[in-house]
Amino acid sequence: MRLAYLDPHAVPDDSPEALQILYTADALGEIGVDVTLVTPRPRRALAAESILGRPLCSRVELHYLPDPRKRWWFPLASNKPFYFMAARALRDHEADVVLVRNLKMAEYLLQHVPQVPLLFETHEVFAQTYREEHPNPTAREQRKLDALIEREGFVYRHSAGLIALTPLLLEDIRRVYSVSIHAIVAPDGVDLEQAQHVPAATPNPVPVLLYLGSLHPWKGVDVLVRAMVHVKNKAVLHIAGGNARRIEELRGLAHQLGVEHRVVFLGPIPPGRRFELIARADICLLPLTQTSIASRYTSPLKLFEYMAAGRAIVASRLPSLASVLENGQTSLLVDPNDPRGFATAIDSLLNDAELRIRLGAHAAESAVRFSWVSRSSAILGLIADCRAANRH
């Protein structure tokens, strides 16, 4: 089978989107699919091997297109020149199926290359996220919302199949857009082999608490900074990731709360060092907030990497995590947006090494269900179902 995976994010790169695309393409190749990954050419040298810890599967071809962005003639509000080139590449490669996770690209391909069945991988109900970000929309914002609703509905009605990260995401799509499209729920995954090859960490003289990932407000990292006021044990919070502006905002919060000496900002981390960093932590943290994208739609890469590395986890008690984590078995779950709750859970783990080890061991056992290869096998099953439906 020949599958084309098209996306406007350059791959490989260290963004979460690019990491997820690379691991998905690699795993599809591992199970026998010939994958052509079509993206803009990365603007900096970053080898796939430095992320995967091994060569990219030989069945995966990286096909780069010119990136027209930041050129003097490029309309900043539009990606259409790239979509046009991607559509032409899709025709040239004669793919049996195309996989897309970018909504505008999916819409363009469905309109201009309808003969190639398209699978759309959805990570949120975009209109719902937009509503929450614009609770009192202006006339212009309302027009954008209306266009977004129309675009989402078009993609869900015309795609051959749908891949949703969580059951709640699929439920909301079916309810809001009244579609009965062929679909699977496929959470994100983890490279189990890569996680298992990380050297054992040496004991920390001061316990290390780790948050790894982007620092968008809905990720709830400010809750962790506030929690450090209430953590009774001697411990330090390491925050890895984020851009300079957001880091300065959180650093200012830590200073305001008087905990700047207990919070260390590591900045962006090379993707090849993720497991090394996780392995050095005593407790890993996931403080998602009570928003739709966090509570119903997200499937964080770091969650599965925390689990596979056998780390004790403290996370927000949210429906999006309920099918992955179990309170008291693979993690401690606390109310979102509750710094004292996070502090209490952190202290309980720091005071009980046996509990910390047990939760980490159970998390590692549970992570086996979430390998990238297992996820790609489910995607291959969806493709087979869509083909069977088209024959009848």
Side-chain angles (χ1 to χ4, degrees), residues 114-157:
Q115 65 272 23
V116 182
L118 184 143
L119 298 184
F120 183 63
E121 180 175 310
T122 178
H123 290 230
E124 60 185 292
V125 178
F126 295 93
Q128 178 61 22
T129 300
Y130 191 86
R131 286 190 188 96
E132 292 179 359
E133 292 173 347
H134 303 84
N136 300 297
T138 63
R140 180 174 178 271
E141 290 168 345
Q142 185 61 50
R143 288 194 296 272
K144 289 183 69 174
L145 174 59
D146 293 342
L148 185 54
I149 292 170
E150 183 177 353
R151 179 176 294 119
E152 276 198 293
F154 176 84
V155 170
Y156 294 139
R157 286 191 299 273

Side-chain angles (χ1 to χ4, degrees), residues 265-332:
F265 294 92
L266 303 177
I269 298 297
R273 291 191 54 212
R274 298 186 328 279
F275 288 104
E276 173 192 338
L277 198 65
I278 293 169
R280 291 208 304 261
D282 296 282
I283 300 171
C284 290
L285 305 169
L286 190 58
L288 297 176
T289 61
Q290 193 77 47
T291 56
S292 291
I293 190 170
S295 65
R296 296 180 68 83
Y297 307 152
T298 193
S299 180
L301 296 180
K302 58 181 161 284
L303 168 59
F304 303 103
E305 294 173 348
Y306 290 169
M307 293 171 66
R311 299 296 87 188
I313 299 168
V314 179
S316 296
R317 184 185 293 108
L318 291 171
S320 59
L321 305 179
S323 61
V324 178
L325 294 174
E326 185 178 356
N327 187 42
Q329 292 298 315
T330 57
S331 64
L332 293 184

